[in-house]
Amino acid sequence: MRYRHHIKTFIIFFLILGMTKSNSVFAQKINVDSLLTVAVKETNQDRNYESALKKTQLGMKLAPDYLDFYLLTGRIYQLTNVKDSARYYYKYVIGKNPVYEDAFAYLINMDIEDKNYADAMITVDKAIEAHPGKKDFRYKKLAIYELQGEKEKSETYLKEMQAMYPKDSDFKLHYFIADSRLKSDRIGVNYNFTTFDRSGYGPWHFGSLQYIRQRNWGSAIARINYSKRFADGQSVIDGIQYEAEAYLFTGKKSYSYIGGGYSSDPVFPKLRLGYSFFHNFNKGWEADLGVRYIDTDDTNFATAVVGVGKYLGSYWLNLRSYFQFDNSTVYPAFTLTTRYYFNTRFDYLTLIAGYGTSPDERTTIGQIEQRLSLDSFRIGGGYYRLFGDHYVTGLQISVNDQEYTPGSKQIETEIALMFQYQF
């Protein structure tokens, strides 16, 4: 009986000892978590880096396997510009457990900031390997290529990313911008044929011959337009217009459009001028703000232009508004353009709808003064395609319900053909 009593006593003693030890570990865990919480607050809110660093160093002693303390220590050293120490702790965390995404992100950003692109590329490749589904690291890799001026590698990588993420609007927008910076030249012709359901009126013929020079700074376009209009089976007016346009990159995410045209023939305005500033935002958004100026024999007027666009996977949506000021009266016009892209920026289906007459419509610009105050509802669609590496073609058909005098309307059907050779 006494033997059993001793055994029972020993069991109770060890149970109490185990419970005491467990409570001590639990209490220590609570204290360590509280220590980390305070250190994070002092780092991010109070910016008391010296006090926060003391707490992280204590935390590493109390819980040497608690990697959050090492990560925060690296962050404090980075914020206080002790970058060698920051790199040591980030690499320590990554070596122990690559699940810590922040350690990769902080280290990559620090190397990019210091222009250590080779080290940043090594780290970003490790991050992609550890987190293959994290697109942020793939964006960082693209940024490193672009910062180094590796245009061919950027384009190759963007093609890979488009294949991997076909619905990612940021990759598609980056790819189109990068492609528009590559050196190329194109010559082309455009032809528009317009018929009218009004008896004895039309058809209209409009043709263009153009040369496009694309370089790293942007692109320049020289164009000669010819228009000829018929009525009752006879030519009633024709003429030539000379145009020059340029798209100039003003930053990594912005560019400007500058354009002008001149003609001495009344089928065209005497002078056409235009300017727009475009800016690309994150998540595939783009906005533009500009002005147009038209000078005819009878009048001149200015137009304010405001547009917004959005990439949604393979789709591009753009709404552009025109507010035209003539004799203290404002005449609005709107154009909604939708495109579905395939492989390149030259391969797409498009659908266009609009209201009113704008100064960006070349075939009707000679009548813009008469059409400003009249209703116009139009819709159209087209298909454009790059064949091989050299031939760009396009076909577009549109229908316009146009008021030609107050209360009287006509249906205008326009067929547009385009052909360019790229070299």
Side-chain angles (χ1 to χ4, degrees):
M1 295 292 291
R2 182 176 296 178
Y3 174 74
R4 291 180 179 178
H5 176 73
H6 287 313
I7 292 175
K8 186 176 181 181
T9 301
F10 277 120
I11 292 173
I12 292 173
F13 173 76
F14 281 114
L15 285 173
I16 293 173
L17 182 63
M19 290 176 63
T20 302
K21 186 175 182 180
S22 296
N23 288 336
S24 175
V25 171
F26 181 68
Q28 181 179 337
K29 175 66 174 175
I30 293 176
N31 291 335
V32 168
D33 286 337
S34 300
L35 189 66
L36 179 64
T37 301
V38 174
V40 170
K41 180 179 179 296
E42 289 183 341
T43 301
N44 296 330
Q45 296 182 19
D46 303 335
R47 302 186 187 281
N48 189 349
Y49 301 128
E50 183 178 353
S51 177
L53 186 60
K54 290 179 180 179
K55 289 179 176 60
T56 61
Q57 290 173 341
L58 177 60
M60 288 187 287
K61 290 180 180 179
L62 294 175
D65 295 329
Y66 204 160
L67 294 179
D68 293 72
F69 283 107
Y70 294 84
L71 179 63
L72 185 57
T73 301
R75 183 60 176 160
I76 294 169
Y77 278 128
Q78 182 182 357
L79 292 171
T80 55
N81 209 33
V82 187
K83 295 187 177 180
D84 287 341
S85 296
R87 286 188 176 89
Y88 168 80
Y89 283 100
Y90 290 152
K91 290 179 180 179
Y92 180 86
V93 173
I94 291 170
K96 288 291 184 179
N97 192 346
V99 75
Y100 281 77
E101 296 178 13
D102 286 344
F104 284 111
Y106 291 147
L107 184 56
I108 293 166
N109 290 339
M110 191 165 56
D111 283 332
I112 289 176
E113 181 182 341
D114 293 343
K115 299 182 180 180
N116 297 327
Y117 299 129
D119 291 341
M121 186 62 77
I122 292 172
T123 305
V124 81
D125 283 337
K126 290 180 180 179
I128 291 172
E129 183 180 357
H131 304 276
K134 192 72 174 179
K135 284 194 288 186
D136 288 348
F137 293 128
R138 300 186 185 274
Y139 290 135
K140 289 292 183 184
K141 185 169 184 175
L142 174 61
I144 295 169
Y145 279 136
E146 291 177 342
L147 288 168
Q148 293 181 102
E150 299 280 3
K151 298 174 185 176
E152 292 184 2
K153 289 183 179 180
S154 294
E155 186 176 15
T156 300
Y157 183 68
L158 280 166
K159 287 181 179 179
E160 294 175 3
M161 291 304 98
Q162 278 208 98
M164 186 177 294
Y165 302 105
K167 295 184 178 181
D168 189 282
S169 55
D170 280 338
F171 279 129
K172 188 172 291 294
L173 178 58
H174 271 84
Y175 174 69
F176 287 164
I177 293 174
D179 185 58
S180 64
R181 291 177 182 265
L182 296 178
K183 179 180 177 181
S184 72
D185 295 88
R186 301 195 305 275
I187 56 173
V189 293
N190 291 57
Y191 173 68
N192 298 63
F193 178 74
T194 307
T195 61
F196 304 81
D197 70 344
R198 181 156 50 120
S199 177
Y201 194 77
W204 289 0
H205 300 271
F206 181 91
S208 295
L209 176 64
Q210 60 185 352
Y211 167 68
I212 304 168
R213 184 178 181 86
Q214 181 178 299
R215 294 296 184 268
N216 184 52
W217 46 263
S219 59
I221 305 168
R223 184 183 295 112
I224 300 176
N225 301 320
Y226 175 74
S227 180
K228 189 170 187 177
R229 298 175 182 175
F230 287 81
D232 294 322
Q234 295 182 352
S235 174
V236 292
I237 191 171
D238 68 341
I240 295 176
Q241 181 189 45
Y242 304 94
E243 284 189 295
E245 297 178 313
Y247 291 87
L248 306 174
F249 293 111
T250 55
K252 293 180 180 178
K253 292 188 175 183
S254 64
Y255 62 97
S256 291
Y257 161 80
I258 303 173
Y262 169 80
S263 177
S264 59
D265 299 314
V267 70
F268 292 104
K270 183 168 58 176
L271 185 64
R272 182 191 74 84
L273 300 174
Y275 173 81
S276 284
F277 176 78
F278 296 81
H279 187 80
N280 297 302
F281 299 91
N282 294 331
K283 300 187 182 299
W285 285 97
E286 181 182 78
D288 66 274
L289 184 66
V291 64
R292 306 288 187 268
Y293 175 78
I294 298 292
D295 184 7
T296 69
D297 289 335
D298 299 323
T299 187
N300 58 74
F301 58 91
T303 302
V305 184
V306 180
V308 61
K310 169 67 173 172
Y311 283 89
L312 293 170
S314 296
Y315 288 92
W316 178 68
L317 307 176
N318 179 268
L319 176 63
R320 183 161 291 152
S321 304
Y322 301 85
F323 300 96
Q324 297 159 109
F325 304 88
D326 186 29
N327 295 326
S328 301
T329 304
V330 180
Y331 301 102
F334 306 94
T335 300
L336 176 63
T337 303
T338 304
R339 291 180 182 176
Y340 180 84
Y341 285 97
F342 298 98
N343 297 321
T344 74
R345 62 191 175 101
F346 299 114
D347 296 278
Y348 60 89
L349 285 168
T350 184
L351 180 65
I352 301 172
Y355 167 79
T357 300
S358 82
D360 287 342
E361 297 165 26
R362 286 188 169 85
T363 57
T364 60
I365 194 171
Q367 286 191 343
I368 189 169
E369 181 185 353
Q370 295 89 347
R371 293 184 177 219
L372 274 182
S373 60
L374 302 174
D375 285 337
S376 173
F377 299 91
R378 63 189 180 280
I379 189 169
Y383 177 59
Y384 294 80
R385 174 82 182 271
L386 172 66
F387 289 94
D389 296 325
H390 300 288
Y391 304 100
V392 184
T393 62
L395 169 65
Q396 186 167 306
I397 300 174
S398 61
V399 177
N400 184 19
D401 184 5
Q402 175 68 52
E403 188 178 36
Y404 61 92
T405 58
S408 301
K409 291 188 175 183
Q410 63 190 16
I411 300 297
E412 304 172 357
T413 303
E414 181 178 298
I415 300 174
L417 301 172
M418 184 268 282
F419 177 82
Q420 293 179 356
Y421 177 77
Q422 183 171 238
F423 56 96

